[in-house]
Amino acid sequence: MRLDRFLSNLPRFNRQQVRLLLVQKRIRIDGLTVSDPHAQVRDFSRVELDDELLQAGTPARYFMLHKPPGCVSATRDPEHRTVLDLLDEPDKEHLHIAGRLDYNTTGLLLITNDGNWSRRLTQPQTKLPKVYYVETEQDLGPEYISTFAQGLYFAFEDLTTQPAELLILGPRCARLAIVEGRYHQVKRMFGHFNNKVVRLHRERMGPLVLDDTLAPGQYRALTEAEINQV
Ligand code: URA
């Protein structure tokens, strides 16, 4: 929400008083004096007027989980274990998943309560690569590389996938970097060649790499440096 709106929503200030507070540089967001009425106030922001606290701000939380196979990337599920069941944290209902993985896909899963941050990671426009290790049922060939680089037409969404980079590591294993996360995207890309994905593991999302000290099912909070890289 815009700062001027946030302030005029408080019962004690009308629009004119808000303008004055800003001109007089009496408002601070996260410790910095702000006079721009368009400045953004988020749920996480600490907002102060002189020495008075107007909003404490809820803490932003960021976790990296090594997703094991056999659990769903959902916040709740009536039948199956969810990835959130693996987190021993309070107020889990405020958390969401930045880029889901299928039931049997393993690897890097990022969980946060910061919607702007997770959007930056997952939106195709930001072009952050999501890197997967893939094993397939049939042999791979060089035609996969050129087809994925050109993009594949997905009739259901009526779109062509963004160029993807495939590195063939062995007859039936490869590393694939995609910049978007369409429904079952990797499986559908290999499905174009009638080749079934038998193992799928996400190694990286943008700058964030799965910590190899995390066993499947384990998680940790992201460091300040990791959060700021996104
Ligand atoms: N693509 C898929 O097909 N499945 C996943 O879990 C992730 C990407």
Short mmCIF file of all heavy atoms in Angstrom, two decimals, residues 121 126-132 176-180 202 204-208:
data_model
loop_
_atom_site.label_atom_id
_atom_site.label_comp_id
_atom_site.label_asym_id
_atom_site.label_seq_id
_atom_site.Cartn_x
_atom_site.Cartn_y
_atom_site.Cartn_z
N LEU A 121 11.06 -14.65 -8.08
CA LEU A 121 11.71 -15.93 -8.38
C LEU A 121 11.00 -16.71 -9.46
O LEU A 121 11.63 -17.39 -10.27
CB LEU A 121 11.68 -16.80 -7.13
CG LEU A 121 12.92 -16.97 -6.30
CD1 LEU A 121 12.62 -17.89 -5.16
CD2 LEU A 121 14.09 -17.51 -7.09
N THR A 126 11.21 -12.47 -15.22
CA THR A 126 12.50 -12.22 -14.58
C THR A 126 13.58 -13.19 -15.11
O THR A 126 14.76 -12.99 -14.85
CB THR A 126 12.41 -12.33 -13.04
OG1 THR A 126 11.80 -13.56 -12.71
CG2 THR A 126 11.62 -11.19 -12.45
N LYS A 127 13.14 -14.21 -15.83
CA LYS A 127 14.03 -15.14 -16.53
C LYS A 127 15.08 -15.79 -15.62
O LYS A 127 16.22 -16.04 -16.05
CB LYS A 127 14.73 -14.43 -17.71
CG LYS A 127 13.77 -13.99 -18.82
CD LYS A 127 14.45 -14.00 -20.16
CE LYS A 127 13.61 -13.38 -21.25
NZ LYS A 127 12.37 -14.04 -21.57
N LEU A 128 14.72 -16.04 -14.39
CA LEU A 128 15.66 -16.74 -13.51
C LEU A 128 15.59 -18.24 -13.83
O LEU A 128 14.51 -18.82 -13.82
CB LEU A 128 15.31 -16.50 -12.04
CG LEU A 128 15.52 -15.09 -11.52
CD1 LEU A 128 15.08 -14.97 -10.08
CD2 LEU A 128 16.99 -14.71 -11.65
N PRO A 129 16.72 -18.86 -14.12
CA PRO A 129 16.68 -20.27 -14.50
C PRO A 129 16.34 -21.19 -13.32
O PRO A 129 16.81 -20.98 -12.20
CB PRO A 129 18.09 -20.55 -15.01
CG PRO A 129 18.94 -19.48 -14.45
CD PRO A 129 18.08 -18.30 -14.17
N LYS A 130 15.49 -22.15 -13.61
CA LYS A 130 15.22 -23.22 -12.66
C LYS A 130 15.92 -24.45 -13.24
O LYS A 130 15.62 -24.86 -14.37
CB LYS A 130 13.72 -23.51 -12.53
CG LYS A 130 12.96 -22.45 -11.76
CD LYS A 130 12.58 -21.31 -12.62
CE LYS A 130 12.09 -20.12 -11.83
NZ LYS A 130 11.91 -18.93 -12.66
N VAL A 131 16.84 -25.02 -12.48
CA VAL A 131 17.69 -26.07 -13.04
C VAL A 131 17.31 -27.42 -12.45
O VAL A 131 17.25 -27.58 -11.22
CB VAL A 131 19.18 -25.73 -12.79
CG1 VAL A 131 20.08 -26.82 -13.36
CG2 VAL A 131 19.53 -24.38 -13.39
N TYR A 132 17.07 -28.38 -13.37
CA TYR A 132 16.63 -29.72 -12.97
C TYR A 132 17.62 -30.77 -13.46
O TYR A 132 18.11 -30.69 -14.59
CB TYR A 132 15.28 -30.04 -13.60
CG TYR A 132 14.14 -29.20 -13.07
CD1 TYR A 132 13.86 -27.96 -13.62
CD2 TYR A 132 13.35 -29.66 -12.02
CE1 TYR A 132 12.82 -27.17 -13.14
CE2 TYR A 132 12.30 -28.88 -11.53
CZ TYR A 132 12.04 -27.65 -12.09
OH TYR A 132 11.02 -26.88 -11.61
N LEU A 176 18.58 -29.69 -17.18
CA LEU A 176 17.72 -28.80 -17.97
C LEU A 176 17.49 -27.50 -17.20
O LEU A 176 17.15 -27.53 -16.02
CB LEU A 176 16.37 -29.48 -18.22
CG LEU A 176 15.32 -28.63 -18.94
CD1 LEU A 176 15.73 -28.37 -20.39
CD2 LEU A 176 13.95 -29.31 -18.91
N ALA A 177 17.68 -26.37 -17.89
CA ALA A 177 17.40 -25.06 -17.28
C ALA A 177 16.22 -24.44 -18.00
O ALA A 177 16.26 -24.21 -19.21
CB ALA A 177 18.62 -24.16 -17.38
N ILE A 178 15.15 -24.15 -17.26
CA ILE A 178 13.98 -23.47 -17.81
C ILE A 178 13.74 -22.19 -17.01
O ILE A 178 14.14 -22.10 -15.85
CB ILE A 178 12.71 -24.37 -17.78
CG1 ILE A 178 12.38 -24.84 -16.35
CG2 ILE A 178 12.85 -25.54 -18.71
CD1 ILE A 178 11.11 -25.66 -16.25
N VAL A 179 13.09 -21.21 -17.66
CA VAL A 179 12.89 -19.94 -16.94
C VAL A 179 11.44 -19.73 -16.51
O VAL A 179 11.10 -18.68 -15.98
CB VAL A 179 13.36 -18.73 -17.78
CG1 VAL A 179 14.85 -18.78 -18.03
CG2 VAL A 179 12.57 -18.62 -19.08
N GLU A 180 10.62 -20.73 -16.76
CA GLU A 180 9.22 -20.61 -16.32
C GLU A 180 8.84 -21.93 -15.63
O GLU A 180 9.65 -22.85 -15.58
CB GLU A 180 8.31 -20.32 -17.52
CG GLU A 180 8.35 -21.40 -18.55
CD GLU A 180 8.17 -20.92 -19.97
OE1 GLU A 180 7.32 -20.06 -20.19
OE2 GLU A 180 8.86 -21.44 -20.84
N ARG A 202 15.11 -30.87 -8.59
CA ARG A 202 15.47 -29.47 -8.82
C ARG A 202 16.71 -29.11 -8.00
O ARG A 202 16.72 -29.27 -6.77
CB ARG A 202 14.30 -28.55 -8.45
CG ARG A 202 14.61 -27.09 -8.81
CD ARG A 202 13.37 -26.24 -8.99
NE ARG A 202 12.58 -26.13 -7.79
CZ ARG A 202 11.29 -25.77 -7.77
NH1 ARG A 202 10.65 -25.51 -8.90
NH2 ARG A 202 10.62 -25.68 -6.65
N ARG A 204 18.42 -25.97 -8.50
CA ARG A 204 18.66 -24.53 -8.33
C ARG A 204 17.45 -23.74 -8.78
O ARG A 204 16.75 -24.15 -9.72
CB ARG A 204 19.88 -24.17 -9.20
CG ARG A 204 20.30 -22.74 -9.14
CD ARG A 204 21.77 -22.61 -9.52
NE ARG A 204 22.02 -22.67 -10.96
CZ ARG A 204 21.90 -21.64 -11.78
NH1 ARG A 204 21.49 -20.47 -11.32
NH2 ARG A 204 22.17 -21.77 -13.05
N MET A 205 17.21 -22.61 -8.14
CA MET A 205 16.23 -21.62 -8.61
C MET A 205 16.93 -20.29 -8.62
O MET A 205 17.29 -19.77 -7.53
CB MET A 205 15.01 -21.54 -7.69
CG MET A 205 14.11 -22.77 -7.78
SD MET A 205 12.64 -22.59 -6.76
CE MET A 205 11.59 -21.59 -7.83
N GLY A 206 17.16 -19.72 -9.79
CA GLY A 206 17.91 -18.46 -9.86
C GLY A 206 19.24 -18.62 -9.16
O GLY A 206 19.95 -19.60 -9.39
N PRO A 207 19.55 -17.70 -8.25
CA PRO A 207 20.85 -17.77 -7.59
C PRO A 207 20.90 -18.79 -6.44
O PRO A 207 21.97 -19.03 -5.88
CB PRO A 207 21.02 -16.35 -7.04
CG PRO A 207 19.63 -15.85 -6.85
CD PRO A 207 18.78 -16.51 -7.87
N LEU A 208 19.76 -19.37 -6.09
CA LEU A 208 19.71 -20.21 -4.89
C LEU A 208 19.88 -21.69 -5.22
O LEU A 208 19.09 -22.26 -5.99
CB LEU A 208 18.39 -19.98 -4.14
CG LEU A 208 18.16 -18.53 -3.73
CD1 LEU A 208 16.80 -18.36 -3.10
CD2 LEU A 208 19.25 -18.07 -2.77
#
